[in-house]
Amino acid sequence: MAPARLIAGLLCGLAVAVVSTEAGAGDAKAGRKAAIACQTCHGLDGVSKLPEAPNLSGQVEPYLVKALTEYRDSVRRNEIMNVVAKPLSDAEIADLAAYYAAIQVDVLPPG
């Protein structure tokens, strides 16, 4: 890996760690209730129902907190997600992230 890419990767990891420390741990049970609003695109189980929507199950909690916060604050742009995330509190974002991160994903090699 090129030194610049390695440094960028390390900085990204550090940023995610800082966000997760600031956000605190969410409540997965509360997140499951809130995820009902997400199920049309992402599915209640976090498996996308639309080709343009990503799978959320099994994503790491700090990444989900960061992404949802950036959508809410219009730092990260997506026409639908900016509207959907706008009313979310920090606690609701943490709860959603905790719920989707807690869903176990089994990865199987192609066979």
Side-chain angles (χ1 to χ4, degrees):
M1 180 179 285
R5 289 183 68 143
L6 178 61
I7 291 170
L10 291 172
L11 289 175
C12 182
L14 179 61
V16 168
V18 168
V19 168
S20 68
T21 302
E22 292 174 358
D27 178 351
K29 274 190 166 183
R32 179 176 168 76
K33 289 179 185 174
I36 290 171
C38 310
Q39 71 182 349
T40 300
C41 298
H42 299 286
L44 187 58
D45 59 357
V47 176
S48 176
K49 305 304 180 207
L50 301 174
E52 62 275 359
N55 293 329
L56 300 179
S57 56
Q59 290 282 1
V60 293
E61 197 168 340
Y63 170 78
L64 292 170
V65 168
K66 182 179 185 302
L68 281 170
T69 301
E70 288 178 351
Y71 283 128
R72 179 192 64 198
D73 298 342
S74 296
V75 172
R76 189 170 179 172
R77 304 294 302 161
N78 177 279
E79 188 175 339
I80 295 170
M81 285 303 301
N82 292 131
V83 171
V84 172
K86 191 61 139 176
L88 295 175
S89 68
D90 288 344
E92 290 167 323
I93 287 174
D95 293 345
L96 283 165
Y99 170 66
Y100 283 117
I103 298 172
Q104 182 178 344
V105 176
D106 296 324
V107 179
L108 303 173

